[in-house]
Amino acid sequence: MRDAQSIESGPGLDVLELIHESIFVRDLDGRIRYWNSACTALYGWPAEQALGQLAHELLGSAHPDGLAALEEQVTATGRWDGELCRVTASGQPVLIDARWSVHKNPRGQALGIVEIGRDISARKAIEQSLADSEYRYRNLFQAMAASFWELDFTPVGGMVRQLFAAGVTDLAAHFAEHPQLVREMMRRTQVMDVNEQTVRLFGRDNKAELLQSVEPFWPEASSEVFAQSIVAAVSRQQHYAKETRLRTIEGREFDALFTASFPPENMKKGILMVGVIDLSERNHAFAALERMQAELMHAARVSMLGELTASIAHEINQPLAAIVTNGAAGLRWLNRPMPNTEEVRTLAERMVADARRAADIIARIRDMARHQAPQQAPQLLNNVVKEAVQFLRHELQAQGVEVRLKLTANLPRVQADRTLLQQVIVNLLVNAMQAMADSPQRLIMVSSRAGTDGRVELRVQDSGPGIAEDHLPRLFESFFTTKASGMGMGLPICRTIVEGLGGTIEARNDEGAGACFIVSLG
Ligand code: ADP
């Protein structure tokens, strides 16, 4: 007890009151002999209640190794450091970072143990949540269907800083001028970690061989994308994504969506997160679909030409018949004793004009029948409309259909493939013509006008029976037809073509008139 007394009143202990750390002293029996106000603040026990109590009992001290082991250590070595779980007066658990040291009198006899403690519960909670999020992130990193890479970006950061120091202001332009610099940056970017998807996509069952520089995975032609991602990182964007081509360890190139994210906390550590999604299958599927659509559109054009064969033959026959007639007349003029060369010249001129007419018709049909990759170019919609009407002129005449054009001049050009746009208009005209087969009055109004947002609108209205209300929603479905020999592919193909141009097509019934198809193009 006397020793304990000397602890309590020992010189220097009063200054401990000024310290924010909680400090208490327990004697060799474990009873609290000194208790500063920071202890009261932390544990909730006032000094008068704490003094004389068994410290570990009062504070509910607990440690995974057991308290006896800690006491043993402090007795043997004079010190112990570590974390203790305790409970405050109000029952609140706290985590204490504690330092114990044996307090001795000048003769070297142990008097008790001084504990300096700090409440680290809050810090622990943050560490735990960080550990949790790190765990979640690791899980995600491994489990994602995409390929993920963790790259050490530090050397590139240094290179960029050097460039800025050397006076480079436009990084993108500098990279474009010095492609070898970009390759060097790739060489210095190290792969720190990759997930299983990456091993599957880029490697050959060997993760270790991927943990090297990123350079081999970037074909020369994709260097610009890597350069752009550096510019994005440096200009403090959050992320960067671009479709490009990447290369496997075995040298096979494939289409990929490359994404890089630059969360500030990773950037500080020089870590770059990269995700890669394999697009090759999607792109193959798309290419096959486009080829298929092109085939389908071509097949539809050819079948439409098939339907029009009779009228096409008739149309070509007219100039040919005229050529024969004029040729025969010319021969008669020449066979006279005094050949009339003036008459023959006039007839020859007509023959040339008719031959041209026949050639034009054949050229138009050849264009429609030709199978070629769509070529987009700015088109004057009004001209395409006139060509489509011209194409059907004979058939329309034969069916007794009148076509009225109401075309607005000076409309903006539309970006489209000419043949495909013609196919849409011809399709709508043929449908209108067929719909009016039993109508007493057969009139088609084709009008063009400016739509909203610089778009151009085309309307094809007929005086037929219109479309049954319950058919309206199904009109553009493949194989929907109400005709005995119909295929039900005309309108779906129109829609594919129009939507492929970024436009829309819709059908409605016009008050007092027949059907109306509205095409809007950008
Ligand atoms: P198909 O002409 O082979 O039937 P489409 O896809 O071109 O195929 O047309 C589908 C259906 O839409 C037609 O069968 C018809 O019922 C309806 N339709 C299309 N255009 C008109 C129109 N102008 N008037 C009335 N019905 C129409």
Side-chain angles (χ1 to χ4, degrees):
M1 254 343 247
R2 206 168 45 78
D3 288 342
Q5 285 291 327
S6 69
I7 295 171
E8 285 161 42
S9 55
L13 279 181
D14 289 347
V15 300
L16 302 182
E17 284 300 317
L18 304 171
I19 292 176
H20 290 300
E21 283 174 313
S22 45
I23 298 174
F24 72 88
V25 182
R26 57 194 154 97
D27 62 22
L28 297 178
D29 297 328
R31 291 191 187 274
I32 297 169
R33 294 300 168 194
Y34 174 80
W35 184 259
N36 77 349
S37 49
C39 273
T40 304
L42 169 55
Y43 297 109
W45 297 108
E48 56 273 22
Q49 285 185 35
L51 290 171
Q53 300 283 332
L54 284 169
H56 292 322
E57 244 172 49
L58 181 75
L59 303 173
S61 305
H63 189 278
D65 297 343
L67 293 175
L70 316 186
E71 295 293 351
E72 235 172 68
Q73 190 186 331
V74 75
T75 316
T77 65
R79 300 193 68 83
W80 177 81
D81 292 339
E83 291 173 6
L84 288 168
C85 296
R86 285 195 171 136
V87 183
T88 66
S90 62
Q92 179 77 28
V94 282
L95 192 69
I96 306 296
D97 181 22
R99 270 182 292 145
W100 294 353
S101 47
V102 175
H103 185 66
K104 294 176 179 163
N105 66 14
R107 295 186 302 280
Q109 276 180 309
L111 301 177
I113 290 159
V114 181
E115 176 183 314
I116 304 176
R118 251 177 336 125
D119 178 8
I120 54 164
S121 318
R123 196 187 80 198
K124 268 288 155 185
I126 292 169
E127 277 175 11
Q128 188 57 43
S129 85
L130 272 178
D132 286 351
S133 72
E134 169 80 353
Y135 174 77
R136 276 198 300 276
Y137 157 77
R138 282 279 140 209
N139 252 358
L140 214 65
F141 187 81
Q142 283 304 338
M144 289 295 274
S147 141
F148 272 106
W149 305 62
E150 219 175 61
L151 307 179
D152 180 3
F153 205 49
T154 332
V156 172
M159 288 171 83
V160 169
R161 272 193 296 280
Q162 273 178 14
L163 290 178
F164 283 139
V168 173
T169 48
D170 188 342
L171 213 52
H174 188 80
F175 286 156
E177 281 165 27
H178 302 92
Q180 279 318 310
L181 179 68
V182 178
R183 299 306 294 186
E184 182 57 27
M185 287 181 161
M186 290 177 184
R187 268 190 288 278
R188 296 222 210 151
T189 305
Q190 283 290 320
V191 181
M192 290 157 63
D193 197 6
V194 294
N195 68 351
E196 284 153 24
Q197 275 298 327
T198 307
V199 180
R200 237 169 276 153
L201 186 57
F202 285 85
R204 32 188 176 204
D205 274 348
N206 179 359
K207 177 172 166 175
E209 67 178 350
L210 300 179
L211 304 184
Q212 49 149 319
S213 125
V214 298
E215 204 256 353
F217 307 107
W218 286 85
E220 292 281 339
S222 305
S223 292
E224 197 194 331
V225 172
F226 187 87
Q228 282 171 2
S229 74
I230 294 174
V231 174
V234 171
S235 53
R236 299 194 183 280
Q237 290 174 27
Q238 288 282 311
H239 33 72
Y240 170 83
K242 184 93 179 193
E243 285 190 24
T244 186
R245 279 177 80 75
L246 294 176
R247 189 161 54 201
T248 68
I249 191 102
E250 286 179 316
R252 182 181 62 85
E253 286 185 19
F254 63 96
D255 294 323
L257 176 66
F258 167 82
T259 58
S261 67
F262 321 113
E265 63 272 20
N266 275 5
M267 289 306 282
K268 269 186 232 136
K269 291 188 240 163
I271 297 173
L272 186 66
M273 284 297 307
V274 161
V276 175
I277 295 171
D278 180 3
L279 296 180
S280 41
E281 272 178 32
R282 187 203 71 176
N283 287 358
H284 283 155
F286 271 152
L289 192 67
E290 272 154 14
R291 274 198 303 276
M292 222 169 74
Q293 279 183 346
E295 295 288 341
L296 203 62
M297 289 170 195
H298 178 244
R301 284 203 299 278
V302 172
S303 101
M304 179 182 67
L305 288 173
E307 282 176 43
L308 297 174
T309 311
S311 94
I312 289 168
H314 205 254
E315 196 179 0
I316 297 175
N317 243 348
Q318 282 183 337
L320 291 182
I323 291 168
V324 172
T325 311
N326 290 329
L331 284 176
R332 278 199 302 278
W333 285 113
L334 285 173
N335 286 340
R336 292 196 171 193
M338 286 285 288
N340 186 335
T341 50
E342 253 332 288
E343 280 292 341
V344 174
R345 181 194 305 275
T346 311
L347 289 169
E349 278 166 2
R350 276 191 215 155
M351 284 156 68
V352 170
D354 278 331
R356 288 223 170 98
R357 206 150 65 109
D360 282 349
I361 297 166
I362 290 167
R364 277 204 307 274
I365 291 159
R366 206 179 43 207
D367 276 352
M368 272 285 186
R370 197 163 43 199
H371 193 4
Q372 60 180 19
Q375 285 168 350
Q376 300 226 350
Q379 311 287 354
L380 289 170
L381 181 65
N382 290 353
N383 286 359
V384 186
V385 169
K386 285 181 208 155
E387 282 162 12
V389 173
Q390 178 69 14
F391 185 78
L392 290 172
R393 195 180 55 100
H394 198 269
E395 182 74 13
L396 290 162
Q397 252 172 24
Q399 303 282 335
V401 174
E402 182 194 347
V403 176
R404 272 186 220 159
L405 300 183
K406 257 174 59 183
L407 306 177
T408 305
N410 302 324
L411 290 174
R413 287 171 190 257
V414 294
Q415 190 71 15
D417 176 89
R418 199 179 187 82
T419 310
L420 290 183
L421 199 52
Q422 249 181 41
Q423 185 174 356
V424 172
I425 302 167
V426 169
N427 249 321
L428 296 179
L429 292 171
V430 169
N431 272 349
M433 193 170 65
Q434 289 173 344
M436 295 186 296
D438 296 327
S439 304
Q441 196 212 2
R442 297 173 195 171
L443 174 67
I444 304 177
M445 296 267 285
V446 185
S447 55
S448 67
R449 68 180 77 168
T452 49
D453 300 334
R455 298 175 81 80
V456 173
E457 202 181 89
L458 172 80
R459 280 170 194 246
V460 179
Q461 281 164 282
D462 61 57
S463 60
I467 302 151
E469 281 301 320
D470 54 333
H471 290 167
L472 264 175
R474 304 191 50 202
L475 230 48
F476 294 94
E477 281 174 18
S478 298
F479 309 118
F480 175 80
T481 180
T482 55
K483 299 169 195 168
S485 61
M487 275 260 292
M489 284 310 291
L491 290 178
I493 284 175
C494 286
R495 187 168 71 172
T496 305
I497 294 174
V498 170
E499 289 182 352
L501 301 173
T504 57
I505 179 166
E506 56 176 294
R508 62 160 88 136
N509 287 311
D510 266 356
E511 192 100 4
C516 174
F517 286 81
I518 305 167
V519 178
S520 163
L521 293 167

